[in-house]
Amino acid sequence: MKRFTLTLFSFSFIFFGFSSQAQSKIMNEPNEFVRLSMKLITAVKSENDYKNYVNEYKALPLNKLAESLDTDNKTKAFWINTYNAFVQILLTEDPALFDDRGAFFKADQINVGGELLSLDFIEHGIIRGSKVKLSMGFMKDPFASKLEKQFRVSETDGRIHFALNCGATSCPYVAVYSAYELDKELDQITRQFLKRTTKYDQSEDEVYVTTLFSWFKGDFSDKGGVIGFLRKYDCIPEDADPDVNYKEYDWTLDLGNFTDLQ
């Protein structure tokens, strides 16, 4: 524990190549582990050396990490940054991993506190609160592991689907998330993504949307579903109730798509 504290302290104020805006955002984050995740994704975004942060991840004390991520916002911020950073790292180092996407997402290849975790585990087990991957968000995994239960969120948040980037062309852009402003940031990235990907045809009373709404339908059910989300983020008029069409997802590998949140 003492060794980790010294290591984390050593890198607390090192922001090689980070913009002043990025530095300020990281410094304003009270949670030390969320700060680490922000430094990692910012280093990846800035094309700086991220290996020290990856090594810090390997040394994280899991029990302390779980205790510190004591709200859903802290949990989501840490793990969204972690997921997005390692997707960029892994696929930049070896783009061929994307040739078999199923294997890529299932592989235990991200070292957090000495545990090798998969992208599926982080997304569906932790960030989505133990949702069964192929259940469209309607089924919780009754066989969730102890580690999964230790870290998972208590409530599923549909907005996370517009924050996670799996490396494909149709994915949302990558941003840096804090815990202290996460609701604002998730609203912003959701609005940005939906505005970019939604096409409303008033004359035909139809709307064309990302197929993420279809794949994870249950994650949006308590927020009015697709139509509720589109109304909330001003993609369709408040009184509109168009037929919904889902766009085909473009799985072409496309890395380095970052965006800034205000």
Side-chain angles (χ1 to χ4, degrees):
M1 184 69 70
K2 184 175 181 181
R3 180 180 177 183
F4 167 77
T5 302
L6 289 171
T7 303
L8 188 60
F9 179 80
S10 298
F11 290 100
S12 291
F13 298 101
I14 299 177
F15 303 100
F16 294 117
F18 291 5
S19 69
S20 58
Q21 182 181 7
Q23 292 180 37
S24 176
K25 183 171 181 175
I26 294 170
M27 293 289 289
N28 286 335
E29 172 55 52
N31 186 278
E32 62 179 319
F33 299 107
V34 176
R35 282 200 306 274
L36 174 60
S37 75
M38 295 170 74
K39 292 175 189 177
L40 174 62
I41 190 63
T42 301
V44 172
K45 175 184 177 181
S46 305
E47 298 184 350
N48 292 320
D49 188 359
Y50 49 75
K51 293 179 182 178
N52 285 329
Y53 302 126
V54 171
N55 288 333
E56 286 195 56
Y57 264 79
K58 295 177 182 178
L60 287 176
L62 289 178
N63 287 336
K64 183 179 178 182
L65 177 63
E67 291 172 2
S68 182
L69 301 179
D70 56 0
T71 67
D72 276 6
N73 276 7
K74 293 175 187 176
T75 299
K76 286 183 286 190
F78 176 84
W79 291 106
I80 290 172
N81 289 334
T82 300
Y83 182 101
N84 286 342
F86 278 99
V87 164
Q88 297 291 316
I89 291 169
L90 292 167
L91 293 178
T92 298
E93 293 179 350
D94 187 2
L97 291 172
F98 214 55
D99 293 344
D100 186 343
R101 295 190 303 273
F104 173 63
F105 295 123
K106 290 177 184 177
D108 295 326
Q109 56 191 329
I110 300 169
N111 191 323
V112 181
E115 293 280 348
L116 290 179
L117 310 179
S118 70
L119 291 164
D120 274 352
F121 178 86
I122 293 173
E123 178 179 2
H124 307 295
I126 297 177
I127 302 174
R128 297 182 64 221
S130 297
K131 291 291 183 73
V132 175
K133 182 176 180 178
L134 299 180
S135 72
M136 299 176 71
F138 291 107
M139 184 184 300
K140 198 158 186 172
D141 185 0
F143 304 108
S145 67
K146 180 180 178 181
L147 187 66
E148 188 172 320
K149 293 176 181 177
Q150 186 179 21
F151 283 100
R152 69 188 180 188
V153 297
S154 58
E155 294 185 13
T156 305
D157 183 346
R159 296 175 299 174
I160 62 96
H161 295 296
F162 311 122
L164 291 172
N165 180 292
C166 68
T169 297
S170 288
C171 286
Y173 295 151
V174 180
V176 180
Y177 296 95
S178 65
Y180 71 98
E181 285 193 316
L182 187 66
D183 281 320
K184 172 186 168 184
E185 292 164 354
L186 287 179
D187 275 339
Q188 186 176 343
I189 200 70
T190 297
R191 186 180 303 278
Q192 180 189 111
F193 180 74
L194 294 183
K195 287 283 189 179
R196 181 166 58 87
T197 59
T198 303
K199 181 181 178 182
Y200 173 54
D201 188 337
Q202 185 175 8
S203 63
E204 297 293 331
D205 197 28
E206 291 184 328
V207 65
Y208 295 82
V209 300
T210 173
T211 196
L212 291 170
F213 277 122
S214 176
W215 292 342
F216 305 108
K217 190 171 293 185
D219 291 3
F220 304 100
S221 58
D222 65 341
K223 303 296 183 182
V226 179
I227 297 299
F229 257 75
L230 296 180
R231 287 174 179 162
K232 178 178 179 180
Y233 293 101
D234 304 317
C235 295
I236 59 174
E238 186 65 31
D239 59 351
D241 191 17
D243 293 330
V244 177
N245 300 289
Y246 299 103
K247 295 180 176 181
E248 186 175 350
Y249 209 76
D250 186 347
W251 284 103
T252 306
L253 180 63
D254 190 15
L255 301 175
N257 292 317
F258 290 89
T259 189
D260 292 320
L261 300 177
Q262 302 302 319

